[in-house]
């Protein structure tokens, strides 16, 4: 695993299992906070009833907030009136719930927020991305990104180093 601090966020390059990704995400959750995964409301019918219930039972906010540290590059506007799509933000507390949330969308984005806080008070955004590692092969490199570098350095880096093999790239 390699940690790279980009402007204005950091990324962790990895080849971990879903279970290990869930463990890593858990390190970002403090005692008085929760992690909320995003889900486009318009995609609900694409999933089975159990997945729909999982999301609906844990839904904390519904809004159209773009939280990633760059502008939206792909138009996700809903037709016909070009309104931003509704995003359901659902909590995943236990490790099994985090694993399920990742399985729903492997290229997830989620926020970390103090329990009972307003949505705009989230203090970290985590996101998972994949990139082709080579042109010739369909091999992917995976990155877990985080927006609060200062918090990561002060509170999480030591624990990440204890639990995972890590190298820093600055």
């Amino acid at each position: 695993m390699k940690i790279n601090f980009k402007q204005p966020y950091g990324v962790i390059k990895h080849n971990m299992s879903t279970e290990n990704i869930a463990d890593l995400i858990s390190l970002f959750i403090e005692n008085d906070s929760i992690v909320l995964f995003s889900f486009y409301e318009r995609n609900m019918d694409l999933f089975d009833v159990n997945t729909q219930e999982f999301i609906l039972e844990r839904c904390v906010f519904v809004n159209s907030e773009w939280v990633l540290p760059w502008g939206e590059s792909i138009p996700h506007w809903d037709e016909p009136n070009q309104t931003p799509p509704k995003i359901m933000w659902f909590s995943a507390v236990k490790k099994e719930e985090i694993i399920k949330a990742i399985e729903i969308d492997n290229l997830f984005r989620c926020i970390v927020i103090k329990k009972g806080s307003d949505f705009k008070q989230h203090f970290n955004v985590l996101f998972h991305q994949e990139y082709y590692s080579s042109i010739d092969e369909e091999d992917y490199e995976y990155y877990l990104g985080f927006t609060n570098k200062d918090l990561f350095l002060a509170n999480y880096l030591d624990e990440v180093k204890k639990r995972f093999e890590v190298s820093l790239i600055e």
Side-chain angles (χ1 to χ4, degrees):
M1 172 171 15
K2 294 180 182 176
I3 301 173
N4 189 355
F5 295 105
K6 299 181 176 254
Q7 294 296 339
Y9 54 92
V11 294
I12 301 171
K13 180 180 174 182
H14 70 86
N15 60 357
M16 296 187 295
S17 67
T18 301
E19 185 172 306
N20 284 338
I21 296 168
D23 287 336
L24 184 57
I25 289 171
S26 297
L27 296 178
F28 287 84
I29 306 168
E30 298 174 3
N31 289 339
D32 59 346
S33 61
I34 56 173
V35 64
L36 302 178
F37 283 81
S38 69
F39 182 83
Y40 282 115
E41 185 178 63
R42 67 182 178 203
N43 293 338
M44 189 62 81
D45 292 337
L46 302 175
F47 289 84
D48 62 78
V49 173
N50 289 336
T51 302
Q52 290 177 23
E53 288 175 358
F54 177 85
I55 293 167
L56 290 170
E57 289 170 357
R58 291 164 178 77
C59 186
V60 177
F61 298 107
V62 178
N63 59 33
S64 297
E65 297 289 326
W66 183 255
V67 297
L68 294 174
W70 55 81
E72 190 171 8
S73 58
I74 300 172
H76 290 288
W77 306 107
D78 284 338
E79 298 295 336
N81 56 3
Q82 298 298 303
T83 58
K86 294 288 184 196
I87 301 169
M88 302 173 76
W89 296 92
F90 65 95
S91 67
V93 178
K94 300 175 188 164
K95 182 177 178 177
E96 308 82 55
E97 295 171 344
I98 295 172
I99 290 170
K100 174 79 173 171
I102 295 168
E103 290 172 346
I104 291 170
D105 184 359
N106 183 48
L107 302 178
F108 61 84
R109 64 187 158 174
C110 55
I111 62 169
V112 184
I113 187 170
K114 300 268 186 221
K115 292 176 185 171
S117 293
D118 183 59
F119 183 85
K120 296 223 183 264
Q121 294 175 308
H122 64 271
F123 57 89
N124 211 344
V125 178
L126 308 177
F127 51 93
H128 200 231
Q129 299 179 308
E130 67 182 4
Y131 296 99
Y132 283 113
S133 60
S134 69
I135 296 172
D136 299 330
E137 300 175 31
E138 289 198 23
D139 234 1
Y140 295 100
E141 292 179 340
Y142 291 94
Y143 296 85
L144 177 68
F146 51 92
T147 58
N148 195 331
K149 291 189 299 188
D150 294 336
L151 187 65
F152 180 83
L153 288 169
N155 294 4
Y156 312 135
L157 180 58
D158 289 341
E159 190 61 33
V160 170
K161 284 179 176 180
K162 285 181 199 170
R163 303 213 23 212
F164 301 97
E165 188 174 320
V166 173
S167 62
L168 290 178
I169 303 169
E170 295 194 48

